[in-house]
Amino acid sequence: MTRPTNDKANEREGFMERRSQIRNLAIIAHVDHGKTTLVDAMLRQSGLFRSNETTRDRMMDSIDLERERGITIMAKNTALHYAGIRINVVDTPGHADFGSEVERTLTLVDGVLLLVDAAEGPLPQTRFVLKKALEAKLPTIIAINKIDRQDARPVEVLNMVHDLFIDLDATEDLLDFPILYTNARTGTATHDLAVPGENLKPLFEAIVKTVPPPAFDPEKRLQFRACMLDWDDYVGRLVIGRVFNGKVKKNDRVAIAHRDGTFEPAGVRVLYGYEGLKRVEVDLAEQGDIVALAGFDTCEVGETVTDAEFPDPLPPIHIDEPTVSMLFSTNTSPFSGREGKYVTSTQLRERLWKERRYNVGIRVDETDSPDTFRVSGRGELQLAILIEMMRREGYELEVGKPEIITKTEDGVVLEPMEALVIDIPEEHIGSVTQKIGPRRGLMTDMINHGSGRVRLAFRIPSRGLIGYRNEFLTDTRGTGLLNHIFDGWAGWQGDIDHRMNGALVADRAGKTTSYAIEHLEPRGVLFVAPAEPCYEGQIVGEHSRDNDLDVNITKEKKLTNMRASNSEESVKLTPPRVMSLEQCLEWIREDETVEVTPKSLRLRKRPVKGPKKS
């Protein structure tokens, strides 16, 4: 059979056709550079909403944690129309710990929009996501965002972006990218800083012109790659991905090509397309469409849904290996079961196995104990987000200190390294470099813009960053910015001291008292307030010295004929230190654990002693 060499309706390259009415685009950027806000403006200006329709900010942040923290955790896709062309937009996470989301979504698209803050410039995650895009040879549109900032320096930032492309060995054709200056908050874009933008029309036109239409082989049968998983209360598990070749219809009989090389027959029960923020049921999906399929209970991320009679799977998606692991175990404290609905090891196991199926960036392994599981991820934040989501679902569990994952090559132990970028006022250079040195950090660059702030770049072991963020914020009085990303493997860098101070450990169960706390304040910083229940082995504070100290924090003032026992009501106490989940994980040592319940976070020694016998 001879393939045709011309086509009136579609553009052809070799034997490939293109669907000219579709563009698939991913928006990539560092944390807080304005991705989701820009997507909001694009949706509004595409005519998706009525003029009197009420919409919220950051519409793509559908998870409560995303809206609370102001970051994107899970990649999401939407669709809009411009000049008769359908633009499928994928909003990707900006934090390095969720890099697996970025790697997956880049397989869905044919081009990327790289957003860079006009003041901060390219940061570690910018480098990471751009490197992935260049490896996939995706054409790039550059948007210098937040040009309304007082400290904006768009010309310098653009030069930094050019340097970054060259440093990443971008090919000559990928260096010829369009440049826009945007203000996502007001929804404007312009090609020239001297000409104020009026709307996002220049951006839409750049997308249509720069991003190529999806290409496909007209003679190949169905090839649909699963990139994301979701859940619908009516139809169950949804597999989201792109149709690379062929077509798929509702009720089609297909085959799932698993990673192990086996094929499993299946059927398409329901087929969903996307219109704006909504899923709409469709009867047919063609090449280049991003759709959701229902009816596949065993299809995993990275696998292919293909033709049942002539299966032809796509290569599976490669995801970078995890670098940090933690032990998750059932809650065995005396307060177990008081606040949570799910407290057994079976329930914990089911939840972690469910997460492993949905999130390819997470790895879960069995341990010697049936109640304990080792969970590995790309960073502390990714694991902390998982823990926070579980506690909101009603789970109780204990988690140990984050540990880095090493590997051995040719008899040499290798550990993961991080590229650390710090942006601080000049007066804090000494205190920051003094702390980085003992953590085995090596300075690789120092840039002074003359604005009173300095940017320092280090290469540091991943374990050197555990517990450092809190110290950094204290040393810089909250004015510093700290960003890091995985930077390969290196030989073991030597021992690194962790927490310098010991812990104040409760030696009995009871309720804390103002009298006891007042007398313990000179010994360190307390984590608990008066009248809080505690148990033996619970960590109630940080000792001012390097050793642990058992304390009686339930001691009451005795009643005498000289003093009344209620006279302590006038005692003035220092407010306790209230730590977030991430701060707790950074603080603990190897022999300590964090007790996580839906309402409480407690630190404790491992193992906890039983109650004293009277």
Side-chain angles (χ1 to χ4, degrees):
M1 176 179 177
T2 303
R3 298 189 182 186
T5 56
N6 57 8
D7 182 31
K8 297 179 181 179
N10 298 310
E11 173 194 355
R12 285 187 180 274
E13 294 179 3
F15 299 123
M16 301 296 286
E17 293 186 10
R18 290 189 180 274
R19 290 190 64 194
S20 59
Q21 300 305 307
I22 290 182
R23 301 292 187 275
N24 293 323
L25 174 80
I27 300 185
I28 56 178
H30 193 83
V31 178
D32 199 31
H33 280 198
K35 291 186 315 302
T36 309
T37 305
L38 183 63
V39 174
D40 283 357
M42 293 173 67
L43 290 172
R44 291 190 178 101
Q45 295 188 26
S46 67
L48 183 66
F49 305 108
R50 301 187 310 272
S51 58
N52 63 343
E53 187 171 352
T54 302
T55 59
R56 66 180 186 181
D57 292 334
R58 292 187 285 122
M59 291 178 278
M60 295 291 283
D61 285 347
S62 56
I63 304 175
D64 289 341
L65 272 176
E66 292 180 321
R67 300 190 64 80
E68 291 173 15
R69 293 171 179 254
I71 61 174
T72 302
I73 296 172
M74 301 293 289
K76 303 170 199 69
N77 58 295
T78 183
L80 52 91
H81 294 268
Y82 175 77
I85 294 178
R86 178 186 180 87
I87 303 176
N88 294 313
V89 180
V90 184
D91 184 17
T92 62
H95 198 285
D97 285 14
F98 308 106
S100 60
E101 296 287 322
V102 178
E103 293 171 59
R104 283 187 283 168
T105 52
L106 289 183
T107 65
L108 290 172
V109 299
D110 302 298
V112 296
L113 171 62
L114 177 65
L115 216 61
V116 183
D117 190 291
E120 296 180 4
L123 289 172
Q125 179 69 359
T126 312
R127 183 185 185 92
F128 169 78
V129 293
L130 180 59
K131 180 181 178 182
K132 296 292 182 183
L134 294 179
E135 288 175 354
K137 300 189 183 305
L138 298 175
T140 307
I141 302 169
I142 302 298
I144 309 297
N145 193 34
K146 300 187 181 181
I147 57 175
D148 58 327
R149 285 184 58 162
Q150 290 184 350
D151 56 348
R153 46 192 182 98
V155 176
E156 294 179 42
V157 167
L158 180 58
N159 291 332
M160 296 166 68
V161 172
H162 278 287
D163 292 341
L164 179 59
F165 268 79
I166 295 171
D167 191 32
L168 293 175
D169 297 326
T171 57
E172 190 172 343
D173 57 326
L174 293 177
L175 282 170
D176 185 20
F177 46 76
I179 302 160
L180 294 111
Y181 301 94
T182 62
N183 184 345
R185 193 167 53 181
T186 59
T188 58
T190 179
H191 289 286
D192 187 352
L193 282 171
V195 181
E198 298 179 358
N199 50 41
L200 291 178
K201 184 178 178 180
L203 175 60
F204 287 126
E205 292 178 345
I207 293 172
V208 173
K209 182 178 179 181
T210 306
V211 179
F216 64 94
D217 187 333
E219 294 195 357
K220 283 198 172 184
R221 294 176 181 257
L222 175 64
Q223 288 181 317
F224 169 93
R225 176 185 279 151
C227 290
M228 293 180 278
L229 299 174
D230 203 349
W231 180 267
D232 185 276
D233 292 335
Y234 294 100
V235 299
R237 194 164 181 258
L238 295 174
V239 180
I240 303 169
R242 170 176 166 176
V243 180
F244 284 86
N245 288 300
K247 300 178 182 180
V248 59
K249 294 182 293 186
K250 184 178 178 181
N251 298 323
D252 271 358
R253 300 304 301 174
V254 295
I256 303 172
H258 293 297
R259 289 180 180 272
D260 58 5
T262 60
F263 296 93
E264 177 186 353
V268 180
R269 192 161 66 242
V270 184
L271 184 62
Y272 289 109
Y274 288 87
E275 285 294 335
L277 303 175
K278 300 175 184 177
R279 273 198 297 260
V280 292
E281 193 167 341
V282 296
D283 295 324
L284 172 69
E286 300 182 73
Q287 302 93 335
D289 286 337
I290 297 177
V291 293
L293 309 180
F296 306 99
D297 293 331
T298 59
C299 183
E300 304 295 343
V301 169
E303 296 180 341
T304 303
V305 176
T306 184
D307 187 79
E309 296 182 6
F310 302 96
D312 184 14
L314 293 164
I317 300 174
H318 170 71
I319 304 295
D320 287 347
E321 289 295 310
T323 58
V324 176
S325 69
M326 293 169 55
L327 292 176
F328 285 44
S329 58
T330 54
N331 185 10
T332 57
S333 85
F335 293 168
S336 174
R338 292 188 180 184
E339 299 174 359
K341 293 188 298 183
Y342 309 110
V343 297
T344 67
S345 59
T346 302
Q347 292 167 332
L348 177 62
R349 176 192 175 90
E350 290 176 353
R351 177 62 179 85
L352 292 176
W353 254 251
K354 175 184 175 183
E355 185 69 24
R356 185 176 70 169
R357 292 181 62 188
Y358 279 73
N359 189 346
V360 295
I362 293 287
R363 191 172 68 199
V364 184
D365 300 305
E366 302 271 8
T367 65
D368 295 338
S369 170
D371 297 332
T372 303
F373 307 91
R374 182 171 294 278
V375 182
S376 306
R378 296 283 284 272
E380 292 175 74
L381 179 62
Q382 185 184 27
L383 298 179
I385 290 292
L386 171 60
I387 297 168
E388 184 65 34
M389 293 176 69
M390 290 177 64
R391 71 182 294 217
R392 293 187 180 204
E393 294 168 11
Y395 285 85
E396 285 192 12
L397 65 154
E398 291 178 12
V399 292
K401 173 181 169 57
E403 300 174 348
I404 58 106
I405 300 174
T406 60
K407 64 180 183 179
T408 304
E409 290 185 2
D410 300 326
V412 178
V413 177
L414 303 178
E415 64 173 321
M417 302 293 289
E418 302 280 335
L420 173 67
V421 177
I422 292 175
D423 193 300
I424 53 173
E426 291 178 345
E427 60 266 24
H428 299 309
I429 294 177
S431 58
V432 169
T433 53
Q434 186 177 6
K435 294 290 181 65
I436 294 289
R439 294 173 177 270
R440 308 291 178 177
L442 178 65
M443 185 181 293
T444 57
D445 196 10
M446 179 175 177
I447 303 173
N448 192 334
H449 302 300
S451 60
R453 296 183 70 89
V454 179
R455 178 167 295 184
L456 308 176
F458 298 88
R459 193 165 193 258
I460 186 172
S462 298
R463 58 194 171 96
L465 292 174
I466 296 177
Y468 176 62
R469 187 176 294 272
N470 290 333
E471 288 186 34
F472 172 77
L473 293 175
T474 301
D475 292 340
T476 61
R477 296 184 176 90
T479 61
L481 299 173
L482 182 148
N483 299 283
H484 59 91
I485 193 167
F486 177 68
D487 190 35
W489 300 82
W492 186 259
Q493 302 292 300
D495 294 333
I496 297 176
D497 292 330
H498 177 44
R499 193 180 81 222
M500 302 301 295
N501 295 352
L504 299 176
V505 186
D507 64 358
R508 67 198 69 194
K511 280 194 174 183
T512 60
T513 64
S514 301
Y515 179 73
I517 291 175
E518 180 187 20
H519 286 79
L520 287 175
E521 281 187 345
R523 298 294 187 107
V525 179
L526 277 300
F527 299 158
V528 293
E532 287 188 17
C534 68
Y535 51 80
E536 183 180 0
Q538 180 178 335
I539 298 174
V540 295
E542 181 178 311
H543 195 195
S544 56
R545 300 185 178 181
D546 59 359
N547 62 300
D548 294 341
L549 182 67
D550 291 338
V551 297
N552 178 7
I553 201 168
T554 63
K555 187 176 182 181
E556 298 179 354
K557 181 185 290 186
K558 300 301 181 183
L559 178 64
T560 69
N561 60 349
M562 299 295 295
R563 294 176 296 180
S565 61
N566 61 0
S567 62
E568 66 182 68
E569 293 176 359
S570 62
V571 171
K572 293 184 179 180
L573 301 176
T574 304
R577 180 195 294 174
V578 180
M579 295 194 291
S580 65
L581 175 60
E582 289 95 328
Q583 291 172 328
C584 291
L585 295 176
E586 291 177 353
W587 191 86
I588 58 175
R589 288 175 173 167
E590 288 80 1
D591 63 337
E592 298 163 353
T593 170
V594 182
E595 177 190 352
V596 181
T597 72
K599 297 180 181 178
S600 307
L601 293 173
R602 302 184 186 93
L603 305 176
R604 55 184 296 201
K605 284 290 182 181
R606 179 194 289 155
V608 174
K609 301 175 183 177
K612 286 187 175 181
K613 296 181 180 180
S614 56

